[in-house]
Amino acid sequence: VLPGTYEPGPDLDGADLILRSIDGAASTVIDAAGSGRCMKFKNGDLVLDGFTLRNGEADKGAGLRVEGTTTTAEVANCVFEFNDCTNDGYGAGVYVKNLPDFWMHDSLLQDNDCNSNDNDNGSDGGGLYAESASILVEDCQFLDNRAGDGGGMALEGATGSLLHNVIAGNLAWDSQPGVGDYNGGGGIAVHQGVILLSNNLIVDNDSTDTGGGLFLVDTASQVTVDQCTVAFNLSDLGGAGIHAGAAGT
């Protein structure tokens, strides 16, 4: 794809697609201008390499929405920024559901907002939301994203690994701190997932509820933290670094 700024195209269903920019994300932009989602893809194999997706607005995946049990996706060298969820939805930057194989690497997710209306109901995963998917996220940066739960990312029933990522400056904002069990995770929130975190930097994240850096929601959340730096995170109600909710492990 040649350099330029493009409007979003139609939703893509049932096709295999490789999209690679010639000059990279800085000069190849899909800009939704606040009038819809940047890209939606399902039921096929997707490679997205070297694009900026910005100014999307949707209830799920304002930047990118990828779903389907027959879908695989690789997202590389991309930037997701200034995407907002309407109705306080899920995954302002990237939304992933039911994928058997999702690989995102060498990408930047910044200033995405699931919580622009200051109502945290159903507001999960400012940068990334992954549900019932097998994921590998490596060498990415999640910076200054915002949601009710999982400001940087929220993982719901997901399995996989987070390797060599920077998760910094993200916010989990709760309109009713201390009410309900699923509120928190300025950097990362994990609910009913099995996740390996290795060699990640999780710093300067904030939660107005619990778990400034990492929030394990419940007993079905199994997270291994290996050689990570978790520092300088804040939480109003406990677990500034890591908070294990209802006996998360």
Side-chain angles (χ1 to χ4, degrees):
V1 178
L2 291 171
T5 299
Y6 300 90
E7 295 180 354
D11 294 346
L12 302 169
D13 187 351
D16 295 336
L17 181 66
I18 298 174
L19 282 176
R20 285 196 172 96
S21 69
I22 293 175
D23 287 344
S27 57
T28 315
V29 179
I30 300 174
D31 193 333
S35 61
R37 180 182 293 108
C38 293
M39 180 180 291
K40 181 178 179 180
F41 184 90
K42 63 179 180 179
N43 299 324
D45 298 327
L46 171 67
V47 175
L48 184 68
D49 187 348
F51 291 83
T52 293
L53 286 76
R54 66 163 62 118
N55 296 321
E57 190 169 296
D59 59 343
K60 297 176 181 177
L64 173 65
R65 179 173 177 173
V66 187
E67 56 190 332
T69 57
T70 61
T71 302
T72 67
E74 177 187 355
V75 177
N77 306 300
C78 287
V79 176
F80 299 88
E81 61 185 9
F82 311 123
N83 299 293
D84 288 342
C85 276
T86 57
N87 302 315
D88 301 297
Y90 300 86
V94 178
Y95 174 94
V96 176
K97 186 174 182 179
N98 294 331
L99 267 67
D101 186 5
F102 175 76
W103 179 28
M104 183 165 65
H105 59 94
D106 301 289
S107 294
L108 169 63
L109 299 91
Q110 65 180 1
D111 295 301
N112 302 289
D113 194 349
C114 265
N115 210 4
S116 58
N117 296 327
D118 289 338
N119 180 355
D120 56 77
N121 296 327
S123 163
D124 296 340
L128 168 68
Y129 177 85
E131 179 178 345
S132 303
S134 178
I135 65 171
L136 173 58
V137 179
E138 55 184 340
D139 298 306
C140 292
Q141 297 181 71
F142 294 78
L143 309 177
D144 301 314
N145 303 287
R146 187 169 182 260
D149 306 305
M153 70 179 79
L155 308 178
E156 175 81 22
T159 61
S161 300
L162 309 177
L163 310 176
H164 307 103
N165 301 290
V166 176
I167 300 103
N170 303 286
L171 173 64
W173 190 92
D174 186 1
S175 61
Q176 294 180 300
V179 178
D181 295 330
Y182 297 168
N183 299 321
I188 305 170
V190 181
H191 180 216
Q192 298 182 347
V194 181
I195 300 294
L196 168 66
L197 283 83
S198 180
N199 291 284
N200 297 284
L201 181 64
I202 305 172
V203 296
D204 294 317
N205 302 286
D206 193 1
S207 171
T208 63
D209 205 299
T210 53
L214 172 63
F215 178 40
L216 312 182
V217 176
D218 61 357
T219 54
S221 301
Q222 301 178 40
V223 177
T224 300
V225 180
D226 177 46
Q227 300 186 70
C228 292
T229 298
V230 183
F232 308 115
N233 301 286
L234 300 174
S235 172
D236 290 357
L237 296 183
I242 300 174
H243 180 86
T249 60

